Amino acid sequence: MVPLILVLLLALILFGAGFALKALWWIAIIVLVLWLLGFVFRSAGSSGSRGRWYRW
C-alpha cells in the first residue's frame, strides 16, 4: 500500500511540475511578444526621433 501511495504521489508531483513549467513557457512567450510589439509601436519623440517605450 505504501509503495502505491509513493508512486501516485511522485506522479502527482511530476504532473504538477510539468504543468507549471508549461505555464511558465507560455508566460515567457507572451512577455517576449509584448516586448517586441513595444519596439514596433513605440511613439515618436518631440524632436522626431523615436523614444523609449519603457521607463527604465
Side-chain angles (χ1 to χ4, degrees):
M1 184 69 174
V2 173
L4 179 64
I5 292 174
L6 289 176
V7 168
L8 290 175
L9 185 62
L10 181 63
L12 185 66
I13 290 171
L14 290 176
F15 174 76
F19 178 76
L21 288 176
K22 190 170 185 176
L24 286 176
W25 271 111
W26 280 110
I27 291 170
I29 289 170
I30 291 170
V31 169
L32 178 65
V33 167
L34 289 175
W35 182 65
L36 291 174
L37 285 175
F39 281 109
V40 173
F41 293 114
R42 61 185 170 183
S43 62
S46 59
S47 63
S49 65
R50 296 177 80 106
R52 286 185 279 173
W53 63 276
Y54 51 88
R55 298 285 305 207
W56 340 304

